[in-house]
Amino acid sequence: PLLLPNSQNSVRGSSRSSPFNMEAPQQMDNLEAAKTEQQGESRETPKPEIGEPEMEEKVQEEDADNIKISVKGGDISRSKQIMLLDKFLVEMLGMMFFVVVGTGAAVATSTTTNFNQPGWVLSVALTFGLAITTLAYTIGHISGAHINCAVTFGLVIAGACGIVEGLVIFTGQIIGSILGSAIVAGLFNKSNDGTGALGSNQVAKGFTQGNAFLGEAVLTGLLMFVVCEVAVRRRFDYKPAIKLDGVGFNGPLAIGLAVFIAHMVLIPIDGCSINPTRSFGPLVMASARGLPDGSSHWEDFWVFVIGPLVGAGIAATIFLFTKVRI
């Protein structure tokens, strides 16, 4: 008769146990162990805060020809050649649209080759900055949205872009620049082009090639510095569970602002390049259509190639030596 109450209590999960009933302590131990294990799992995998997307675990595997990404929903396999082709195409289109919008705005709003008019400088600089921001959001998930061979060069130095990938992207940029400038030439007759050369870069009167070279190097360095910090550097202090690089989706905003402020400084000096591929296409098409008399565009062209590459290379090297490796 004395065992009955204890047996009933053990079945009900009572915390009391009897020396005559050896099953009750064992059941309680099992319950405590399960509770502890459940608490441990809840601490290890916290639920996302309200408004945060639940991140799926991704595992990337790579072989000679394909890249396989394993996610909770299944496996995705893509050929490396197809992925390079994707990057080539979007960089070509990105550069084409960038040249159409940027140099197109310069040609459309200019009535004189005097590039010191504050309103004109502001409108063109803002257009270039907004164009980069828009295109970076559009193709950044495919190619990284370089849209600038100096940035591509810097990313190769920084270890964020492979050499072959960089060459493929550069080829797309060159073709896109020429196509974009051809479109601008189709939109505006030579008589309607206040810049005189489809928005090509040239050192302005009152400035020297040395002035322009220094400006191009420093402000391309600024752009590359911003790209490395907001889009490449791994952050350890910002939502580490999500494992973001840079500032995540806000990166294009900072990059576009860097392009804008660089143009505000350099347009009166040399039209602002900070992008050799952006300078190449318009100059090729303007040369085919006929450059203005006394033009020094080709004589100054080296400034818009070497200057940006030097600036981007220095900024990328600084990033490389300050990079935290884990």
Side-chain angles (χ1 to χ4, degrees):
L2 294 176
L3 293 178
L4 181 59
N6 289 329
S7 300
Q8 291 174 341
N9 289 338
S10 66
V11 172
R12 293 172 185 171
S14 170
S15 60
R16 294 179 299 172
S17 61
S18 167
F20 302 101
N21 186 1
M22 300 304 295
E23 294 181 358
Q26 184 176 1
Q27 291 176 353
M28 293 305 300
D29 290 341
N30 293 338
L31 288 173
E32 291 296 332
K35 184 177 180 181
T36 302
E37 182 178 354
Q38 183 177 6
Q39 289 176 348
E41 291 178 354
S42 63
R43 285 194 298 268
E44 292 174 1
T45 57
K47 293 183 178 180
E49 298 176 3
I50 296 176
E52 287 186 12
E54 186 175 356
M55 305 299 291
E56 293 186 347
E57 182 181 358
K58 297 182 179 181
V59 180
Q60 181 169 309
E61 298 179 2
E62 185 173 342
D63 57 30
D65 299 316
N66 299 285
I67 294 178
K68 184 177 74 173
I69 302 175
S70 299
V71 296
K72 289 184 178 180
D75 293 340
I76 302 172
S77 181
R78 290 280 285 171
S79 165
K80 290 183 180 180
Q81 288 75 18
I82 295 297
M83 293 182 71
L84 282 176
L85 179 60
D86 291 344
K87 294 178 181 181
F88 168 83
L89 290 174
V90 297
E91 286 289 331
M92 182 185 71
L93 291 173
M95 179 60 74
M96 182 190 74
F97 286 124
F98 180 65
V99 170
V100 168
V101 172
T103 62
V107 171
T109 58
S110 64
T111 57
T112 174
T113 54
N114 178 14
F115 302 138
N116 292 316
Q117 299 176 357
W120 183 82
V121 171
L122 176 61
S123 65
V124 174
L126 188 59
T127 302
F128 273 100
L130 289 175
I132 280 293
T133 299
T134 303
L135 291 168
Y137 275 120
T138 304
I139 67 172
H141 62 288
I142 301 174
S143 67
H146 301 187
I147 320 176
N148 184 335
C149 72
V151 170
T152 303
F153 175 69
L155 291 174
V156 170
I157 292 177
C161 177
I163 295 176
V164 173
E165 179 184 346
L167 290 173
V168 170
I169 287 174
F170 169 69
T171 304
Q173 292 168 356
I174 287 290
I175 297 173
S177 181
I178 295 173
L179 290 175
S181 194
I183 293 173
V184 175
L187 291 173
F188 301 96
N189 297 325
K190 191 174 181 179
S191 59
N192 297 329
D193 182 4
T195 68
L198 295 174
S200 299
N201 296 108
Q202 181 182 17
V203 178
K205 294 180 180 179
F207 296 94
T208 67
Q209 289 182 341
N211 299 141
F213 178 86
L214 179 61
E216 292 289 333
V218 171
L219 289 167
T220 308
L222 167 66
L223 173 61
M224 192 70 226
F225 173 66
V226 172
V227 169
C228 287
E229 295 303 325
V230 306
V232 180
R233 189 183 294 277
R234 174 59 55 88
R235 293 288 295 274
F236 298 100
D237 59 337
Y238 180 74
K239 295 187 183 300
I242 299 181
K243 299 178 182 178
L244 285 176
D245 289 338
V247 295
F249 293 114
N250 294 323
L253 293 175
I255 295 169
L257 287 172
V259 171
F260 164 68
I261 59 180
H263 278 74
M264 286 297 297
V265 175
L266 287 178
I267 283 177
I269 299 174
D270 60 13
C272 187
S273 172
I274 64 170
N275 186 338
T277 35
R278 163 262 183 271
S279 298
F280 180 73
L283 186 52
V284 169
M285 294 307 301
S287 299
R289 192 160 75 167
L291 291 171
D293 294 336
S295 164
S296 63
H297 287 85
W298 281 110
E299 289 82 353
D300 296 337
F301 183 65
W302 70 270
V303 172
F304 310 114
V305 176
I306 306 300
L309 292 178
V310 168
I314 292 174
T317 302
I318 293 172
F319 168 79
L320 184 64
F321 282 99
T322 58
K323 182 179 178 181
V324 177
R325 294 170 175 82
I326 56 173

